[in-house]
Amino acid sequence: MSLVVVGSVAYDGVETPHGKVDRILGGACTYIALAASYFTHTRIVGVVGDDFAPEDTEFLRSRGIDLEGLEHVPGKTFFWKGKYSPDMNDRETLATDLNVFADFQPKLPESYREEPYLLLGNIQPELQRDVLKQMRKPKLVGGDTMNYWIADHREKLLPTIREWDFLLINDSEARMLSGEHNLLKAAAAIHAMGPHTLVIKRGEYGALLFARGRHFMVPGYLLEEVFDPTGAGDCFAGGFIGYLASGGVSPTRGEIDDTDLRRAVIYGSVMGSFCCEKFGPDRFRTLSRAEIDERFHEFKTCTDF
Amino acid sequence: MSLVVVGSVAYDGVETPHGKVDRILGGACTYIALAASYFTHTRIVGVVGDDFAPEDTEFLRSRGIDLEGLEHVPGKTFFWKGKYSPDMNDRETLATDLNVFADFQPKLPESYREEPYLLLGNIQPELQRDVLKQMRKPKLVGGDTMNYWIADHREKLLPTIREWDFLLINDSEARMLSGEHNLLKAAAAIHAMGPHTLVIKRGEYGALLFARGRHFMVPGYLLEEVFDPTGAGDCFAGGFIGYLASGGVSPTRGEIDDTDLRRAVIYGSVMGSFCCEKFGPDRFRTLSRAEIDERFHEFKTCTDF
């Protein structure tokens, strides 16, 4: 029983107050899969160009990630370049070269289609919908989206998320999607759109979970040093679904235990926090499961009263 | 054993997206004392003009607040007027008429000077220092300050807070005071300035407690409707010190139990959240201790994992 992750695999150019890298492995699918790989077997669906480096393939493989669904096509890999503000709460996009990602048509390998867990990274809503159709008996389906699809492609986004169990978005996206500033009201409006489980990510301020008529609030982990926040939200998603896919979830679709969901939010927070400790996905070259569990318990110690 | 609270007693004109009031009881001392009065006997020190309404005196007295230290002088009471942004995260000050507050020289009634607990609201650091000198054997002393004193009167602020057990400020003030953006580093720098206990208030995002080499993180309470955030930070302070003064603290100055401090932060959060539910301090006209404890337990339910 594995997790299928669909989304962008990219190269990033990143500048933060701590330094600059011209080209480092990136993309939502990459970060989600790396984070999830600590919890469950993960199979990715994405596309890269002929410039995709063998050492990056090797890095993903070293984390046990199944790359059968990673298409290699002629051309260049998706490239994004950005620069963070001094406090790293804002970033300016300096380049978005879609390259081979512009024509991405996710096709699930036959061996993926029976899998129970699906995480749809932020891509066009029609493609997300098409991927779900290719799955035969998914038990738990959810994903991410962004302001662009919410504002300009709402008619495509709404039927897409209607079929999802969970939606993971940030607070400004939740407000935009629901038309409600108040997050309790926003959550109620989003539940009515389909997803019975909503996770609102708030960056350094933590996250909120809304499910089964209750909510759970978790503050943001305090890091000594935020090196590079790129991918932190995706790693949150990867930790969240990875933990749920690891066996915490009941086998009937939608039958999720509240305790599992809360723990999944903490594991998401933990993975997002580790992501910020080095440039790009470099923290995952050395991170161990023991360190993850230690930070999970630290969350408990720092929030218990 | 009572709590002494020093600070502004005022009238406010407030406009929020939910409505407008031209003149309502306000001031940091008022909010702190009202919130603290649910936990402990509270005695205030402040100054009002001859326009201070008997029904406002009556309201404070109805909460059991000792008004012996509330000086009445000829002239008008401090008046502040502000308008909140649509999302209520920002506010514009439209008027600040110090009036009788301009010459405020806090003088503690003889009966106050033996009290063990002192909360210094945001006033000039010299005055805060002078008040502390008037106390004979304080066990637990702390207070609030603001960007103005941090930026322009640092040489007076530093010797003032050096004598405090705890400091309660918001995150931008903590960053300004310490010169550190990272809050873990900011807290370490502030501890070195004197206060062994630091509470950083983050508005809707909750609060952080740093004490005894550990930290505690609490998310913000989610309200269905934020009516008027005026005074919420002061009510946090009132709930925090009120709970500690109610008996949770060991009788030796500085010997505070970590569990007490964490609970005090939750009670602070609870009082701040109630404050936002009506205009000005109106929520405290009907609020009961049972409602406070219910919300305390709700915090537990919403953060437990």
Side-chain angles (χ1 to χ4, degrees):
Chain A
M1 298 232 296
S2 307
L3 163 69
V4 175
V5 178
V6 184
S8 60
V9 177
Y11 283 113
D12 292 343
V14 178
E15 190 174 342
T16 83
H18 298 283
K20 193 179 163 179
V21 281
D22 291 329
R23 187 179 169 87
I24 194 165
L25 181 62
C29 180
T30 306
Y31 281 107
I32 296 165
L34 282 169
S37 72
Y38 285 87
F39 302 92
T40 192
H41 183 240
T42 302
R43 323 183 82 167
I44 68 173
V45 180
V47 64
V48 292
D50 40 32
D51 60 344
F52 197 71
E55 55 267 35
D56 290 320
T57 302
E58 195 34 54
F59 175 35
L60 296 173
R61 203 163 268 151
S62 75
R63 292 280 336 131
I65 297 168
D66 186 339
L67 304 180
E68 191 190 340
L70 183 64
E71 223 182 325
H72 287 254
V73 301
K76 283 183 154 187
T77 301
F78 179 16
F79 180 74
W80 174 85
K81 188 175 173 179
K83 184 179 169 172
Y84 285 85
S85 62
D87 69 3
M88 282 182 286
N89 282 330
D90 289 300
R91 70 183 187 191
E92 187 191 351
T93 291
L94 303 173
T96 308
D97 304 331
L98 291 177
N99 299 328
V100 300
F101 192 61
D103 300 315
F104 181 41
Q105 290 289 338
K107 221 169 13 237
L108 270 55
E110 186 53 39
S111 67
Y112 285 29
R113 300 184 184 219
E114 301 281 333
E115 297 299 358
Y117 303 105
L118 175 64
L119 186 70
L120 296 152
N122 165 37
I123 53 173
Q124 290 103 299
E126 310 94 292
L127 296 186
Q128 290 175 321
R129 210 172 171 197
D130 182 62
V131 168
L132 179 51
K133 279 203 195 105
Q134 297 177 47
M135 300 286 283
R136 297 224 175 80
K137 42 179 187 184
K139 276 181 202 152
L140 187 67
V141 175
D144 191 7
T145 189
M146 70 184 285
N147 48 7
Y148 175 71
W149 310 116
I150 297 169
D152 298 342
H153 296 271
R154 201 178 174 81
E155 76 293 349
K156 287 168 187 158
L157 181 64
L158 291 183
T160 298
I161 64 171
R162 184 161 297 286
E163 302 172 330
W164 294 3
D165 297 300
F166 64 90
L167 176 67
L168 282 143
I169 49 180
N170 69 34
D171 40 8
S172 68
E173 290 160 353
R175 286 170 169 145
M176 188 187 268
L177 177 60
S178 64
E180 294 281 358
H181 180 78
N182 181 286
L183 293 176
L184 285 173
K185 292 179 184 169
I190 292 170
H191 284 318
M193 294 174 186
H196 53 69
T197 296
L198 170 67
V199 179
I200 297 182
K201 298 174 285 178
R202 309 179 101 186
E204 66 162 318
Y205 298 114
L208 300 168
L209 164 73
F210 299 88
R212 314 169 146 242
R214 300 177 65 189
H215 68 270
F216 173 56
M217 319 185 288
V218 57
Y221 183 81
L222 291 180
L223 281 167
E224 277 285 347
E225 199 94 75
V226 174
F227 228 76
D228 173 12
T230 311
D234 296 316
C235 289
F236 184 109
F240 176 82
I241 183 69
Y243 176 74
L244 292 177
S246 72
V249 182
S250 126
T252 320
R253 183 175 167 184
E255 289 294 321
I256 302 167
D257 186 290
D258 201 42
T259 306
D260 290 328
L261 281 174
R262 289 177 174 220
R263 287 187 183 152
V265 168
I266 300 295
Y267 276 114
S269 305
V270 165
M271 299 312 288
S273 74
F274 277 120
C275 179
C276 298
E277 292 185 348
K278 293 211 170 184
F279 267 106
D282 276 356
R283 186 64 179 88
F284 302 112
R285 295 183 190 278
T286 56
L287 183 69
S288 69
R289 177 62 198 251
E291 287 176 290
I292 293 169
D293 288 326
E294 196 182 315
R295 188 160 291 181
F296 180 95
H297 290 294
E298 211 184 322
F299 253 102
K300 200 145 188 92
T301 315
C302 288
T303 57
D304 207 37
F305 66 90
Chain B
M1 299 233 295
S2 307
L3 165 69
V4 175
V5 178
V6 184
S8 60
V9 177
Y11 283 113
D12 292 342
V14 178
E15 190 174 343
T16 82
H18 297 283
K20 193 179 164 179
V21 282
D22 291 330
R23 186 178 170 87
I24 193 165
L25 181 62
C29 180
T30 307
Y31 281 108
I32 295 165
L34 283 168
S37 72
Y38 285 88
F39 302 92
T40 193
H41 182 240
T42 303
R43 323 183 83 167
I44 68 173
V45 179
V47 64
V48 293
D50 40 30
D51 60 344
F52 197 70
E55 54 268 35
D56 291 320
T57 301
E58 195 33 56
F59 174 35
L60 296 174
R61 202 163 269 152
S62 75
R63 291 281 336 129
I65 297 168
D66 185 339
L67 305 179
E68 192 190 340
L70 183 64
E71 222 182 325
H72 287 253
V73 300
K76 285 184 154 185
T77 301
F78 180 18
F79 180 74
W80 174 85
K81 188 175 173 179
K83 184 179 170 172
Y84 286 85
S85 62
D87 69 4
M88 281 182 285
N89 283 331
D90 289 300
R91 70 182 187 190
E92 188 190 349
T93 291
L94 303 174
T96 307
D97 305 330
L98 291 177
N99 300 328
V100 301
F101 192 61
D103 301 314
F104 181 41
Q105 291 289 340
K107 219 169 12 238
L108 270 57
E110 187 52 40
S111 66
Y112 285 29
R113 299 184 185 219
E114 301 281 334
E115 297 299 358
Y117 303 104
L118 175 64
L119 186 69
L120 296 152
N122 165 38
I123 54 174
Q124 290 103 298
E126 308 94 294
L127 296 185
Q128 291 176 321
R129 212 174 168 195
D130 182 61
V131 168
L132 179 51
K133 279 202 196 107
Q134 298 176 46
M135 301 286 283
R136 297 224 178 80
K137 43 179 186 184
K139 277 182 201 150
L140 188 67
V141 175
D144 191 7
T145 189
M146 71 183 286
N147 48 7
Y148 175 68
W149 311 116
I150 297 169
D152 298 341
H153 297 272
R154 201 178 175 82
E155 76 292 350
K156 288 168 187 158
L157 181 64
L158 292 183
T160 299
I161 65 171
R162 184 161 298 284
E163 302 173 330
W164 294 3
D165 297 300
F166 65 90
L167 176 66
L168 283 141
I169 48 180
N170 69 35
D171 40 7
S172 68
E173 290 159 353
R175 285 169 170 145
M176 189 187 267
L177 177 60
S178 64
E180 294 280 358
H181 180 78
N182 181 286
L183 293 176
L184 285 173
K185 292 178 184 170
I190 292 169
H191 283 318
M193 293 174 187
H196 53 69
T197 297
L198 170 68
V199 179
I200 297 182
K201 298 173 286 178
R202 309 178 102 184
E204 67 162 316
Y205 298 114
L208 300 168
L209 164 74
F210 299 88
R212 313 171 147 243
R214 299 176 66 189
H215 67 269
F216 173 56
M217 317 184 291
V218 57
Y221 184 81
L222 291 179
L223 282 166
E224 277 284 349
E225 198 94 75
V226 174
F227 227 77
D228 173 11
T230 310
D234 296 316
C235 289
F236 185 108
F240 176 81
I241 184 67
Y243 175 74
L244 292 178
S246 72
V249 181
S250 126
T252 319
R253 182 173 168 188
E255 289 295 319
I256 303 166
D257 185 289
D258 200 43
T259 307
D260 290 327
L261 281 174
R262 288 177 175 220
R263 286 188 184 150
V265 168
I266 300 295
Y267 276 114
S269 305
V270 165
M271 299 313 287
S273 74
F274 277 120
C275 179
C276 298
E277 292 185 347
K278 293 212 171 182
F279 267 107
D282 276 356
R283 186 63 179 88
F284 302 112
R285 295 184 190 278
T286 56
L287 183 69
S288 69
R289 178 63 198 250
E291 287 176 290
I292 293 169
D293 289 326
E294 195 182 315
R295 188 161 291 181
F296 180 94
H297 290 293
E298 211 184 322
F299 253 101
K300 198 143 187 94
T301 316
C302 288
T303 57
D304 206 37
F305 66 91

